[in-house]
Amino acid sequence: FSFRKLWAFTGPGFLMSIAYLDPGNIESDLQSGAVAGFKLLWVLMLATIIGLLLQRLAARLGVVTGLHLAEVCNRQYQKVPRIILWLMVELAIIGSDMQEVIGSAIAINLLSVGKIPLWGGVIITIADTFVFLFLDKYGLRKLEAFFGFLITIMALTFGYEYITVKPDQGKLLQGLFIPYCQNCGTPQLEQAVGIVGAVIMPHNMYLHSALVKSRQVNRANKREVREANKYFFIESCIALFVSFIINIFVVTVFAEAFFDKTNADVNTVCVNASSPHSSLFPNDNETLKVDIYKGGVVLGCYFGPAALYIWAIGILAAGQSSTMTGTYSGQFVMEGFLNLRWSRFARVLLTRSIAITPTLLVAIFQDVEHLTGMNDFLNVLMSLQLPFALIPVLTFTSLPSVMNDFANGLFWRIAGGVLILLICSINMYFVVAYVMSLNHLALYVGAGILSVIYLSFVAYLV
């Protein structure tokens, strides 16, 4: 083992780990803390471990073949399924970008004390594209360093909230290592499913398999390939451990401070703190429901304005970093599936334009409740796209014709198949629960028809 070699291979895993820290993830974390307290921490840990194992497969595919997942799909699938697969992955990337736009707009609104309206924050996120393109000119190593800086900001900001709130360490350890949810009902179960949907991102498999190609490996030399696989896996473990700790900060802060609180409890504290946002919480005995926006507000009411602003800085860092990984994913996916080489400027402009349009309309004509409500819908959307990354990555890493001596053994094939079946079942439950909550017959029929088409395509991939 050599630390120098590990440093040489460090970068791709940290870029990949950003997807575990995007605004959709942060929202899922704070909601699970507020709804279930410390009881779902073990689900977060399990989802992160499953994510790590799947990322390992994606990285191995890139290292062994010298091709990323989209390029292998292009070679292995017929034209029609290949185009459908590309559209599904693009949908996931656009959904992720919308979450980034929503998170950044909310953070800008909170930081400006409401002076910049939400639609103004959405428009400001167009500037992200230019920041990304400016950094991209200076090479991948500089970009990796910038991602490291953004992850550090998230660790410091959410770590500050953790130290301020001082969660119960005994309950934290109990929640992590006892896989049980006492007195849990449907809301807690839906939250557990939401954690899995938010943590494991479909486009991240495509991204990671491409990022590992940035390191020179002699693929004719089995020892070098084996060594590269080892160091990329170690780096992924470190990167996902850091992201897991940041996620724990968010869950435990809201579990300690806001679990079992009512709207009236928060309203009283916010009024006493002279918060301009106290009207967000009606004076009733309903259980408190939080999102990224309300989460910052309640932190400000309970722990002072500094907690609110530091929270907003963390959300802004999460948003800025995830837009860059989304752009990279889109670039690799388009090149791989369609052999289409666009400039990064054109690519990022297309994705951002599609993401901004619906978000801007909601921000102008609706309120922050509807804007953060879009995050739930987008988590459902991305859950649906998961099989279109997981099935190809398991299939191709199990084929000796693709991976030669590095093909998955029987254990990995069975374990991977069980994992993917479990994740797909969880996500289908998530989608059914979401559609049922909409309570409209036409939507039920539409969802039923789309489900048949969707499951038929998943069966084809299997």
Side-chain angles (χ1 to χ4, degrees):
F1 177 82
S2 157
F3 279 105
R4 182 175 290 186
K5 280 187 180 174
L6 178 61
W7 178 247
F9 284 104
T10 295
F14 280 90
L15 265 72
M16 166 275 293
S17 73
I18 289 291
Y20 292 74
L21 293 167
D22 72 338
N25 253 308
I26 303 298
E27 178 144 295
S28 170
D29 290 340
L30 65 92
Q31 284 174 344
S32 80
V35 168
F38 296 87
K39 296 172 191 171
L40 295 180
L41 282 171
W42 64 274
V43 178
L44 176 65
M45 181 164 74
L46 200 62
T48 308
I49 292 168
I50 291 171
L52 172 67
L53 298 177
L54 294 169
Q55 296 298 158
R56 175 183 180 269
L57 294 180
R60 280 169 68 87
L61 182 72
V63 170
V64 173
T65 63
L67 302 168
H68 56 72
L69 183 54
E71 290 171 326
V72 179
C73 288
N74 190 1
R75 290 186 174 198
Q76 299 286 338
Y77 291 128
Q78 300 293 320
K79 188 177 180 181
V80 173
R82 190 168 73 230
I83 289 171
I84 296 170
L85 203 55
W86 169 69
L87 289 171
M88 293 297 104
V89 180
E90 285 290 351
L91 207 57
I93 291 165
I94 290 162
S96 174
D97 202 50
M98 283 174 75
Q99 286 189 321
E100 183 278 314
V101 171
I102 292 166
S104 296
I106 287 170
I108 291 164
N109 180 268
L110 288 171
L111 286 169
S112 67
V113 202
K115 286 188 172 61
I116 298 175
L118 288 167
W119 59 265
V122 171
I123 290 169
I124 289 170
T125 60
I126 295 170
D128 291 359
T129 55
F130 300 107
V131 172
F132 168 71
L133 293 165
F134 172 76
L135 283 165
D136 193 48
K137 276 198 314 185
Y138 291 93
L140 189 62
R141 230 19 184 162
K142 299 277 193 309
L143 197 65
E144 288 170 353
F146 183 66
F147 275 106
F149 171 68
L150 289 172
I151 291 172
T152 306
I153 288 176
M154 283 186 264
L156 291 174
T157 51
F158 298 134
Y160 168 86
E161 309 290 358
Y162 180 84
I163 291 163
T164 305
V165 175
K166 299 184 183 70
D168 185 315
Q169 300 301 300
K171 286 182 181 174
L172 191 160
L173 291 171
Q174 200 176 343
L176 269 180
F177 297 109
I178 298 177
Y180 182 65
C181 192
Q182 196 173 5
N183 303 324
C184 287
T186 306
Q188 288 79 13
L189 182 60
E190 285 177 8
Q191 207 53 60
V193 172
I195 289 170
V196 177
V199 166
I200 304 166
M201 294 285 211
H203 59 281
N204 220 24
M205 305 295 148
Y206 292 87
L207 175 70
H208 200 189
S209 65
L211 289 172
V212 295
K213 288 171 60 182
S214 63
R215 304 303 192 264
Q216 292 298 317
V217 178
N218 177 10
R219 288 178 179 83
N221 185 329
K222 284 183 189 175
R223 189 184 62 80
E224 269 196 46
V225 173
R226 198 169 282 112
E227 193 174 63
N229 282 331
K230 177 178 80 172
Y231 285 112
F232 278 130
F233 181 61
I234 293 168
E235 188 230 1
S236 296
C237 289
I238 297 165
L240 286 188
F241 179 72
V242 171
S243 75
F244 175 60
I245 295 296
I246 295 171
N247 282 319
I248 279 185
F249 286 162
V250 179
V251 176
T252 53
V253 162
F254 283 84
E256 182 66 41
F258 308 115
F259 175 56
D260 255 1
K261 288 277 193 300
T262 64
N263 284 329
D265 295 335
V266 178
N267 179 279
T268 306
V269 175
C270 285
V271 168
N272 291 338
S274 305
S275 168
H277 306 285
S278 51
S279 59
L280 275 173
F281 308 100
N283 201 359
D284 59 36
N285 286 322
E286 278 195 32
T287 306
L288 174 69
K289 289 181 180 172
V290 284
D291 47 47
I292 290 178
Y293 186 78
K294 284 183 179 175
V297 171
V298 290
L299 284 171
C301 292
Y302 276 78
F303 305 103
L308 186 153
Y309 295 128
I310 289 168
W311 169 259
I313 290 166
I315 296 297
L316 193 60
Q320 295 310 299
S321 51
S322 56
T323 189
M324 297 185 199
T325 52
T327 303
Y328 260 124
S329 304
Q331 184 86 2
F332 295 134
V333 162
M334 189 177 270
E335 286 176 8
F337 277 110
L338 306 180
N339 285 325
L340 201 60
R341 295 195 177 272
W342 277 21
S343 71
R344 289 229 164 88
F345 181 81
R347 170 73 221 179
V348 79
L349 217 57
L350 173 73
T351 306
R352 182 47 54 93
S353 304
I354 296 169
I356 272 184
T357 308
T359 316
L360 189 59
L361 290 171
V362 173
I364 292 170
F365 297 110
Q366 298 285 352
D367 53 14
V368 72
E369 296 279 338
H370 289 87
L371 196 62
T372 52
M374 278 177 79
N375 260 337
D376 297 333
F377 169 74
L378 293 168
N379 276 342
V380 172
L381 179 74
M382 271 177 294
S383 298
L384 280 171
Q385 309 309 320
L386 269 173
F388 307 128
L390 304 190
I391 295 169
V393 83
L394 180 65
T395 303
F396 300 139
T397 51
S398 300
L399 288 177
S401 58
V402 174
M403 298 289 284
N404 300 319
D405 294 345
F406 292 92
N408 293 331
L410 184 63
F411 170 78
W412 268 100
R413 290 205 294 273
I414 294 170
V418 169
L419 275 183
I420 288 167
L421 186 65
L422 177 70
I423 291 166
C424 292
S425 305
I426 284 171
N427 287 326
M428 284 312 291
Y429 171 84
F430 192 26
V431 172
V432 168
Y434 181 79
V435 173
M436 294 293 279
S437 69
L438 298 174
N439 209 16
H440 198 289
L441 182 63
L443 290 171
Y444 295 164
V445 174
I449 294 165
L450 287 173
S451 295
V452 172
I453 298 166
Y454 171 83
L455 290 171
S456 302
F457 188 57
V458 169
Y460 166 81
L461 291 179
V462 171

